[in-house]
Amino acid sequence: SSSAPSVQIPGKPHTIAAITGGATGEIDVSFQRPRVPWHLIPCSGTVATPNDCPTEVGGSVASSDGGSAITEYVIEYSEESDFSGYDQGQIVTTSLTVTLQNLTPGRTYYIRVAARNQNGLGSFCAFQDASCLTAINAVTAVART
C-alpha cells in the first residue's frame, strides 16, 4: 500500500503586478504560480527568497500547488482595500496574465489573486513581494482614462 501525501489547497500566487491598461477602463494584471505551500513555510531557501517546491513523492505537481494541479486562478478587484464597496468584481482564468475591463476610468483599484485546485481555493495574495510572505504594499493600479 502506498501512502501519498494528502491533497491540500494551493499556496498563494506571488509577484503580482498591475498597471494601467491600454484601453479606457482597463488594468493589466500579471502574477506567478505559487512558490510556497499553503502553510506559508518555504520548501527551501528563505522567507525572503524561497526556492520552488519539488514535486510530491509519487506525484507530478509541486507541493506549492497543493499536491494536485492548479485548475484556475481567481482575480478580485475593488475600489476598497478590504474588497468591500460597490465597484468590485472577479475574474476566473487559467492564465497568469489578465486584462480587467469595464472599470471606472481614472479610479484606483486594489487587486488580489488566489489559486484553485481540486481541493479548493487557496488564500489570496494582494502584495507585490516575490513570495507573498511579507506584506510590503497592496497591489493597486489606476484604470485607463
Side-chain angles (χ1 to χ4, degrees):
S1 72
S2 69
S3 61
S6 63
V7 175
Q8 303 290 338
I9 59 174
K12 296 177 183 179
H14 65 91
T15 316
I16 300 169
I19 60 170
T20 299
T24 300
E26 289 185 354
I27 291 175
D28 293 328
V29 180
S30 64
F31 51 92
Q32 300 295 316
R33 50 176 295 285
R35 177 177 283 165
V36 177
W38 64 274
H39 50 61
L40 302 181
I41 301 168
C43 295
S44 64
T46 65
V47 168
T49 57
N51 297 325
D52 286 330
C53 287
T55 56
E56 292 283 355
V57 174
S60 61
V61 297
S63 53
S64 53
D65 289 359
S68 79
I70 290 175
T71 55
E72 62 190 17
Y73 295 95
V74 176
I75 298 105
E76 291 187 345
Y77 56 91
S78 176
E79 61 180 331
E80 301 290 339
S81 60
D82 64 358
F83 291 83
S84 66
Y86 297 106
D87 194 354
Q88 64 179 4
Q90 183 182 89
I91 289 181
V92 176
T93 183
T94 56
S95 175
L96 296 177
T97 61
V98 70
T99 297
L100 306 179
Q101 299 176 310
N102 302 315
L103 303 174
T104 303
R107 180 165 286 168
T108 298
Y109 288 85
Y110 292 85
I111 296 157
R112 64 185 180 181
V113 184
R116 185 188 314 273
N117 66 10
Q118 67 180 30
N119 219 47
L121 187 67
S123 297
F124 281 95
C125 178
F127 302 101
Q128 292 173 324
D129 62 287
S131 59
C132 203
L133 295 178
T134 57
I136 298 172
N137 56 338
V139 173
T140 61
V142 176
R144 171 71 68 196
T145 55

